[in-house]
Amino acid sequence: MNYHILNKDGLDGFIKKLSKKMKVYAPVSKGHGNFAFEEVSSGAQVALKYIPTILPPKKYLMPQREKMLEFDVTGERPVDTAMLEAEEIALFGVHTCDLAGIQCLNMVFSERPRDYNYLLRKEKLFIIGLECNTYCDEHASCALVGNQLPNGGYDLFFTDLGECFIIHVNTQKGEDLLEDMGLPKAFPADMAELTRVREDKKAIFKNEIGVEPKKLPEIFEKAMNSKVWEELGKRCLSCGNCTNVCPTCYCFDMADTVNLDLKTGARSRTWDSCQFSTFAAVAGGEDFRPDRSERQRHRFSRKFKFPLDKFYRFFCTGCGRCTRTCMAKINLKDTLKALAAEQR
Ligand code: SF4
Ligand code: SF4
C-alpha cells in the first residue's frame, strides 16, 4: 500500500504545479448550491465540499457533441477520415460515485466494437478522487450501491484527515506525479487516522432505501406492469434532463451534415435520451416505447436490472443527480421504495 501526505495549505501549490503539466479540471461553485467541473489553475478555485456537479465527468470522455469523421465523395472513391482527438487532462476531486460512473462507461465502451474516441480520451485522463466523509445531500444513495467507499478507477485518491489529505497512490502515473511533487510518505499514525475516518463512515452511510440491493433485480422483474410506472408516466415531462446528468447514461445519436458543395461533410454524434418520444421510433412509424411510463420503466431498468445481467453491476452510482434535476420532482429513492412496497 502506497500512501502520501499533503498538508491542506499545500493544496494550492499542488494544483498550481499540476496545472503547469496539463489542464486541470475540478469542481467549482456556480452559485445557488450548484457546482460544475471547470478548468482551474489554483487551489482557491476548487470547491472541496460540493454536491455532485451538474454534469458528471462523462462530459470529458464523451462530449455532448463530437465530430466522428469527415467525408469527401468528390473523387472516384469516397474518402472518410476518422477524428481522434484527445489532450492530456487531470480531473481533480472526483467523488466515489463519479469514479464508479467512469468505471461503468469504461466497460460499455471497451466492448467490441470498441469506441476509440472514448478510450483515447480515457487513456489521456489523470484522475484524482476525493472521498466524501459525510453525505453530500439527502438525494444521494451511494451506500445502497456500495459506492460510499473508493473502489479503484483513479490514479490518486485524496481523503481529508483534518489538517492534511492522505493520498492513496493507485497507478504508476500517480506514483510518478507524487515523486515529482516531492510529497512525503504517510506515517503509521496517518494510516490509523484513515482507518478511523472509514470506521466513522460506517455509522453515517447506511442503505438509503431499506431494501436489500440484491433484491432489486427481482423487484424489477416483477414490476413490469407496476402502477408506479403509470404514476411516473403521468408526471414525467420527457425533457431528458435525468439522462443527460446521469454519469452512466451513454446513448447517442449520429447525424451527417453535408456542406454546400454536396461533396464533403462531417458525421457527428450528440447525446440522446431514452426519455425523448423519438428515441425508440423506427422507420415505418413503429415506436417501441410510445408511453412516458414505458420510457421511465426503461430508464430505471437500465440502472437496476439490465446491466446486472450483462456487467454484474448496478449502473446507478447513487449520485442523486436525476432527482436533483427533475422538474417533475421524480425521486429515485422514492421510486425504488414504492416498487419494493408493492411487492410486500
Ligand atoms: S428529468 Fe424528470 S421530467 Fe425530465 S425526463 Fe427525466 S424524469 Fe421526466
Ligand atoms: S440514475 Fe440518478 S442517481 Fe443513479 S447514477 Fe443516474 S443520475 Fe445518479
Side-chain angles (χ1 to χ4, degrees), residues 228-338:
V228 172
W229 308 127
E230 275 176 46
E231 198 258 329
L232 295 195
K234 283 184 197 142
R235 289 163 57 197
C236 175
L237 306 165
S238 289
C239 65
N241 282 354
C242 50
T243 55
N244 276 339
V245 301
C246 181
T248 69
C249 277
Y250 55 86
C251 287
F252 57 81
D253 196 13
M254 286 276 202
D256 287 355
T257 316
V258 182
N259 296 329
L260 286 176
D261 61 8
L262 300 182
K263 302 279 189 197
T264 58
R267 177 165 298 168
S268 304
R269 72 169 161 196
T270 48
W271 292 359
D272 202 350
S273 169
C274 61
Q275 297 310 296
F276 294 158
S277 58
T278 49
F279 185 82
V282 293
E286 195 63 52
D287 186 349
F288 292 100
R289 283 187 292 274
D291 296 332
R292 290 173 192 210
S293 56
E294 291 170 316
R295 302 204 286 268
Q296 279 293 309
R297 181 180 66 201
H298 181 75
R299 170 169 84 89
F300 277 91
S301 302
R302 286 293 300 263
K303 306 295 155 193
F304 294 100
K305 168 88 182 73
F306 305 151
L308 276 119
D309 299 340
K310 191 164 177 178
F311 297 113
Y312 309 105
R313 68 183 288 163
F314 291 116
F315 263 42
C316 177
T317 70
C319 71
R321 284 187 177 90
C322 54
T323 305
R324 279 180 216 106
T325 198
C326 181
M327 293 182 285
K329 299 207 181 312
I330 290 173
N331 182 304
L332 180 128
K333 287 198 278 182
D334 289 351
T335 303
L336 296 180
K337 282 183 204 161

Side-chain angles (χ1 to χ4, degrees), residues 20 35 55 71 94 107 109 125 138 141 172 208 227 229 289 307 328:
K20 290 211 172 77
F35 298 85
L55 288 179
F71 55 80
V94 185
M107 294 169 104
F109 287 115
L125 196 60
E138 74 279 15
S141 53
Q172 188 60 47
E208 300 86 359
K227 291 250 181 306
W229 308 127
R289 283 187 292 274

